[in-house]
Amino acid sequence: MLKPRPTPTRELVNLDGLWRFGVAGRVQDEPWTGRLETPLEAPVPASYNDLFTDPAIRDHVGWAWYQRQVRVPRGWDGERVLLRFDAATHAGRVYVDDRLVAEHVGGYTPFEADITDVVSAGQEFRLTVGVSNELTNVTIPPGKITVDQFGTRKQTYLHDFYNYAGLARSVWLYSRPATHVEDVTIRTGVDGSAGTVDYAVRTSAAADVRVRALDETGAEVGSGTGAEGTLRIDGVTLWRPGAAYLYDLVVEVLDGDTVVDSYTEPFGVRTVEVRGTEFLINGEPFYFTGFGKHEDTPVRGKGHDDAYLVHDFQLMEWIGANSFRTAHYPYAEEVLEFADRHGIVVIDETAAVGINLAVQGGLTGLAPEPTFSPETFNDETRAAHAQHLRELIARDKNHPSVVMWCIANEPSSNEEGAREYFEPLIRLTRELDPTRPLTSTAVMFARADNDLIADLLDVLSINRYFGWYVATGDLATAETYLEGDLRAWAALGKPVMMAEYGADTMPGLHSVWDQPWSEEYQASYLEMNHRVFDRVEAFVGEHVWNFADFQTSNGIHRVDGNKKGVFTRDRKPKTAAHTLRSRWRGLQNRKPGTAG
């Protein structure tokens, strides 16, 4: 799905700001039929959970409602008029006045509604949006809803981050011509000193298409006609980690000599490949340094914030990180655009976190249910997962910063039924995008000798917490466990990277001993891991869990959230941040000890 952009033939109105707000049970039964009966207002974009002091709103399970008035610009007469929602967590319903115009399931990918036939240029309409935070065994991510003795609906879920909900990303009103560009796919290659740009354009109706590639100065460096083709850019400047360079592909739909629609898609020329045990960008070995992150800040929850975006990237540059994983869902597209412009490498992940009932058993002490069964995660779950993959790739396929798709986080890939569940999804992902490698992060229970899907993946991403959840406080034992585990994975003959490793740390807690939760222990824990990484030849990267502390659900094993961040939730560095800075700023995107 193309991101709305202002062009010579398209206009864009941002609908962010304060909207009327209320949760179901506190407003009228059909809130789209009139003015929302509520004294509350909520900002868009933002999660609603932490905005209000009323615990009934924070703990609400079900639909919440947003409403505002919108005026269509006078000059849009004769144009198609659309509403675009960058996300609605986890399901959305959209009403224009009294009419339902869109429904969508999936909390982190965009959707839109063509409202041309129900609005008029120059006139106002009432826009009402319902957002549901409900998670079940057939949603991605999954969860379970129960009703307690007081009749209150309760939501539980299997992921260790807070289930923030609402309109956490921007809302747009935009126009486009009747005959228009619907989609653009760009795939790039390198031929000597030239770049090759394969493009495919889908239009709303049969029409002539013209494309032009422009460099950063605006000079034309390639052109073509037709809905599909290949452009050649001689003397190409490649998009490289740490040295981004972007071109623009200007796509024009023609009626004779008249341009009826124009859309510009930025792109970078680069290649990605797995060869043996190496991960290559532009034919050169790349070593990942960075983090699993979260869209998580105080008050805003998962609400996108450009100030945090800039500051987080500044901290990643300061610490020497060259990459991050969008754990555990697709991030706002502005994040990927920023990574495109600044040369930061991204592993792009679906919201498939929690497809693992063994972890629940480990936390509760109860015997776990089978993860894959008709009663638990089933064909309907997999269909929802497939739709998430389609929408993720449709949105992010043209971003040069995205070098790999991660299809799930810590699934029960060692359990019976895992291969039957994942093999069709991996096949689908390769069909949707044959140009990028695939990975999935392996949970502690999944080992090289029992994992059922490792042979289907290109990169083996491992989540390990030896020294924290296993051999807690005993780093010598943890080091032997970790090395044995990683060497077993490396023996499979594929690139191996650590997708998660970390230790909870209370800022300000200090100790001269290896005391878990102290800042010194976090630093020593990381150093132990790094010693092991440097001894494993097939190793291609290290992503610390986590960039910053983040909010989680209620639980006695968490005190005000997950404290594995090397930065606090308000982005203050812990001792470990300086440990990582010393290491990463010397690695220069390659495995330690290897030739340049």
Side-chain angles (χ1 to χ4, degrees), residues 388-407:
H388 276 255
L389 285 164
R390 292 187 188 95
E391 294 184 5
L392 168 69
I393 293 171
R395 192 195 74 164
D396 294 347
K397 61 188 174 183
N398 295 333
H399 289 287
S401 60
V402 176
V403 301
M404 186 157 53
W405 305 115
C406 185
I407 63 170

Side-chain angles (χ1 to χ4, degrees), residues 111-408:
F111 63 101
E112 61 186 27
D114 188 326
I115 60 172
T116 309
D117 296 336
V118 295
V119 299
S120 300
Q123 300 299 309
E124 268 195 343
F125 65 89
R126 184 178 64 255
L127 175 59
T128 308
V129 183
V131 178
S132 172
N133 62 356
E134 295 185 8
L135 298 173
T136 71
N137 68 305
V138 296
T139 63
I140 298 293
K144 180 185 291 186
I145 296 173
T146 57
V147 179
D148 68 14
Q149 60 183 324
F150 305 108
T152 304
R153 302 175 80 236
K154 300 285 188 179
Q155 175 79 72
T156 58
Y157 43 93
L158 300 169
H159 52 269
D160 186 35
F161 56 94
Y162 190 79
N163 190 38
Y164 282 113
L167 295 176
R169 299 176 189 165
S170 290
V171 181
W172 307 89
L173 183 74
Y174 76 99
S175 71
R176 67 186 179 195
T179 302
H180 55 266
V181 178
E182 285 196 336
D183 191 38
V184 179
T185 300
I186 300 171
R187 294 172 179 169
T188 63
V190 178
D191 181 12
S193 63
T196 59
V197 183
D198 296 334
Y199 68 89
V201 178
R202 187 175 75 241
T203 55
S204 61
D208 293 332
V209 174
R210 179 173 65 199
V211 301
R212 295 178 292 127
L214 309 180
D215 67 15
E216 288 190 346
T217 71
E220 184 176 302
V221 293
S223 64
T225 57
E228 295 185 12
T230 301
L231 305 183
R232 183 179 178 89
I233 302 176
D234 292 321
V236 70
T237 300
L238 297 180
W239 188 97
R240 298 180 183 277
Y245 190 93
L246 295 180
Y247 294 87
D248 281 334
L249 189 71
V250 180
V251 181
E252 295 172 324
V253 179
L254 305 175
D255 181 3
D257 294 330
T258 303
V259 175
V260 296
D261 190 27
S262 176
Y263 186 86
T264 298
E265 180 79 340
F267 69 96
V269 178
R270 60 102 181 98
T271 63
V272 178
E273 178 187 1
V274 168
R275 186 186 304 160
T277 59
E278 291 185 314
F279 192 97
L280 307 176
I281 298 179
N282 299 327
E284 300 175 354
F286 180 77
Y287 189 81
F288 295 83
T289 60
F291 301 95
K293 291 181 87 274
H294 263 301
E295 291 183 316
D296 175 276
T297 57
V299 182
R300 301 166 185 81
K302 292 197 178 305
H304 177 71
D305 185 290
D306 283 339
Y308 272 98
L309 167 66
V310 170
H311 189 57
D312 283 0
F313 273 74
Q314 282 286 296
L315 291 176
M316 286 192 287
E317 180 181 348
W318 172 85
I319 208 171
N322 61 26
S323 56
F324 64 91
R325 174 167 63 112
T326 69
H328 297 300
Y329 38 83
Y331 292 176
E333 195 163 4
E334 289 86 350
V335 177
L336 299 185
E337 291 172 329
F338 200 90
D340 290 343
R341 295 194 298 271
H342 293 271
I344 301 297
V345 171
V346 178
I347 299 172
D348 208 357
E349 185 167 289
T350 72
V353 53
I355 304 178
N356 190 326
L357 295 178
V359 170
Q360 175 181 248
L363 290 174
T364 63
L366 301 175
E369 302 174 85
T371 296
F372 306 100
S373 75
E375 294 74 33
T376 54
F377 303 138
N378 52 35
D379 291 346
E380 193 174 349
T381 316
R382 187 175 59 202
H385 195 159
Q387 185 60 24
H388 276 255
L389 285 164
R390 292 187 188 95
E391 294 184 5
L392 168 69
I393 293 171
R395 192 195 74 164
D396 294 347
K397 61 188 174 183
N398 295 333
H399 289 287
S401 60
V402 176
V403 301
M404 186 157 53
W405 305 115
C406 185
I407 63 170

Side-chain angles (χ1 to χ4, degrees), residues 70-83:
V70 178
R71 182 175 296 278
V72 181
R74 291 181 298 170
W76 289 11
D77 192 32
E79 298 290 296
R80 306 304 299 180
V81 180
L82 294 98
L83 285 164

